[in-house]
Amino acid sequence: MTSLFSRVSAFPRLLVAVAALFISSVSLAADLPDLKGRTILAVTENAYTPLNFVDPATGEGIGWEYDAMNEIGKRLNANIEWHLSSWDTMIQAVKQGQYDVGMDGISINEERAQQIDFTIPYMTSQQFMLVRADEDRFSDAASFAANDDLYFGAQAGTTNFYVAVYDVLDGDENNARITLLDTFGASVQALKSGDVDSVLMDAASARGYIGANPGAFKLVGGPLGSEDFGFILTPDSDLVAPINAAIRSMKADGTMDALNKKWFFDYNQ
């Protein structure tokens, strides 16, 4: 049994630990650039649960990326002004300077980095095969590829699409076994209704869809590679360094871990 003395003795140590954490957080914030109330035009799609999507109760955009970017704005003394764009026009719109920063679970790769600037990674994830809960015709990527009657649902130009093409199927981007849909959410709905047989997605989003649709989906097989997500910015943007600094501070003080817990484990849509 813990004695009263030991509990009392531990209390000052707890206060010291809390104070140290507070001082560390304040120090991190003090070291960040001050953007002096600058307005940052942020754009997303609202179709990639739980990173960005529409709250069914309010009709407002919510998600991990909303919370993260709003927190970045607070730390940098900047105002985040939100806008919407379809996935297929987002990168070009940011490249042309219509928006300052874009996000949609965008994987960092060389081809995209030739068009726009990336921040440092804010999340690392792996691709998995989401299927209907009663699926028993295949159990992994190899058995899926071997059955010509099985189809993927995907958005053109996304990591999910390219992994389906090059890591699972035959490397032909025109393969008829990939049904192209306008949004990521539409791909999941096509899976749910039986129009396609699998949708590839990162583990974070898979947990979100499984949690939001109890008994509807499951994952099969192992991971099909990993990817780093980054925010995209207009080439040579002066916001890259400040946002990177804010991301580092959020990783250091536990904010990123708290967002992961909130959106990937605690939230049920």
Side-chain angles (χ1 to χ4, degrees), residues 109-213:
N109 62 39
E110 278 190 39
E111 181 181 355
R112 291 171 182 158
Q114 292 175 2
Q115 303 179 63
I116 40 81
D117 283 349
F118 275 104
T119 63
I120 59 174
Y122 60 80
M123 183 182 298
T124 299
S125 193
Q126 295 175 307
Q127 294 288 300
F128 288 86
M129 297 180 71
L130 186 74
V131 302
R132 289 182 295 279
D134 61 356
E135 181 60 70
D136 59 6
R137 294 168 297 169
F138 60 96
S139 59
D140 55 20
S143 53
F144 181 96
N147 187 339
D148 290 337
D149 293 329
L150 300 175
Y151 290 80
F152 277 120
Q155 268 181 294
T158 62
T159 297
N160 320 93
F161 171 79
Y162 290 119
V163 171
V165 170
Y166 294 103
D167 290 54
V168 181
L169 300 177
D170 58 2
D172 179 4
E173 294 186 14
N174 296 311
N175 193 309
R177 291 180 60 188
I178 301 178
T179 300
L180 298 179
L181 295 120
D182 292 336
T183 68
F184 188 76
S187 297
V188 177
Q189 186 56 44
L191 173 62
K192 191 173 185 178
S193 63
D195 295 325
V196 300
D197 304 294
S198 181
V199 173
L200 291 175
M201 65 176 67
D202 61 273
S205 291
R207 286 194 294 266
Y209 277 105
I210 291 172
N213 301 271

Side-chain angles (χ1 to χ4, degrees), residues 232-248:
I232 62 172
L233 299 100
T234 305
D236 301 318
S237 171
D238 63 347
L239 290 171
V240 175
I243 292 177
N244 281 346
I247 291 172
R248 291 189 184 97

Side-chain angles (χ1 to χ4, degrees), residues 48-72:
Y48 200 13
T49 306
L51 298 185
N52 59 80
F53 61 105
V54 176
D55 184 346
T58 66
E60 298 295 320
I62 60 173
W64 193 102
E65 289 174 334
Y66 275 97
D67 281 2
M69 184 52 61
N70 287 333
E71 178 64 22
I72 287 169

